[in-house]
Amino acid sequence: MYIVPEVLIAGLVSPADAFAAMEACFAAMARGEARNFPVVREALGGGRQYGFKSGLDAAGGQLGVKAGGYFPGNAARGITNHQSTVYLFDPETGRPIAMVGGNLLTALRTAAASALSIDRLARQEARVLGILGAGHQAQFQLRAAARVRAFGRVVAWNRSPEKLARLGAVAAELGLAFEAVSLDRLGAEADVIITITSSDRFSLRDAQVRPGTHLSCMGTDTIGKQEVEPTLLARAALFTDEPAQSVSIGEAQHAVAAGLVAASSIVPLGDVLTGRHPGRRSDSEITLYDGTGMGLQDLAVAAVALRRAQEVGTALSVAL
């Protein structure tokens, strides 16, 4: 069995690697060659969340589980609030193959999935990127989005505006103009909007989003979370990573429960990748990607990390 510790991940998996892994993962799902298992998610009190995401990718030869969650007191301890580890197993025998640090991998795969949705669903001429949220993941989202569209400007909003400074620094590094704005301005100016918050009440209203916008809603991954007004989903073409999760723990949970959206209308992004669905149908259509986060995504990037670590000789081998 191998161990690939968190400290090595940055030197093993790039944003481009994560993007390619998401393409392969979503396409395998669309072909029926990979499936996620039911998510286990539990509240621990004090805002803490812990759970398990797992799955089997027969095409990639990956079986495993990510264990981890959200611990809001960690920042004060000098560690990231999101903590996770990915465990890989031999799909034929069930024997453990590897234990891989999952913190950076989670950030990379989440941003890559969002960027993949932008690449396949946003208008080609999109030039203004809007971001709701200023946490750790927001910086990864900005970098990944900038890889797939030639954005010239970033407009951002956060409940605590002073926290946007870090996001502005990343924009400057990328050569992008940056401005903190109201939600009204963000919706009126942005061609692409990424929501990456941990809110239990929506921030972005339906009326604030103009026709032709693409939204990547990436923060809702638990029952009760919510980032956008449910009526917005009713006038958008809806896409997701995993339809069952979109309805149960994703942004669509609220719109479906209210009878505004039929679960059957939510399209797996993998269907766009494989040509089963055309994706965006017009420049005026609003497209919305509900990124709930899947176990298969974690397995895909963990497998890349393991392979690279084996190639360069940094994977730690331990006897069972």
Side-chain angles (χ1 to χ4, degrees), residues 104-166:
L104 178 57
L105 289 180
T106 298
L108 288 171
R109 64 84 157 154
T110 303
S114 175
L116 183 58
S117 81
I118 295 169
D119 184 52
R120 299 306 176 99
L121 297 172
R123 290 180 290 112
Q124 288 296 324
E125 65 275 17
R127 293 296 178 267
V128 180
L129 174 64
I131 300 180
L132 275 73
H136 180 67
Q137 173 63 209
Q139 300 172 51
F140 289 90
Q141 291 286 332
L142 173 52
R143 292 182 189 279
R147 293 184 65 252
V148 298
R149 283 293 184 277
F151 294 111
R153 189 160 62 96
V154 179
V155 290
W157 176 90
N158 192 61
R159 291 188 188 278
S160 301
E162 66 276 6
K163 294 182 179 179
L164 288 169
R166 291 176 298 178

Side-chain angles (χ1 to χ4, degrees), residues 58-95:
Q62 298 151 13
L63 171 68
V65 58
K66 182 178 78 170
Y70 181 72
F71 300 82
N74 281 0
R77 300 182 177 99
I79 57 177
T80 60
N81 289 341
H82 288 91
Q83 290 291 319
S84 61
T85 305
V86 184
Y87 299 87
L88 300 175
F89 301 87
D90 184 327
E92 296 299 323
T93 67
R95 285 180 59 83

Side-chain angles (χ1 to χ4, degrees), residues 125 210 234 239 251 282 289 291 296 314:
E125 65 275 17
R210 59 179 176 151
F239 301 85
E251 194 65 35
S282 73
Y289 172 73
L296 288 174
T314 56

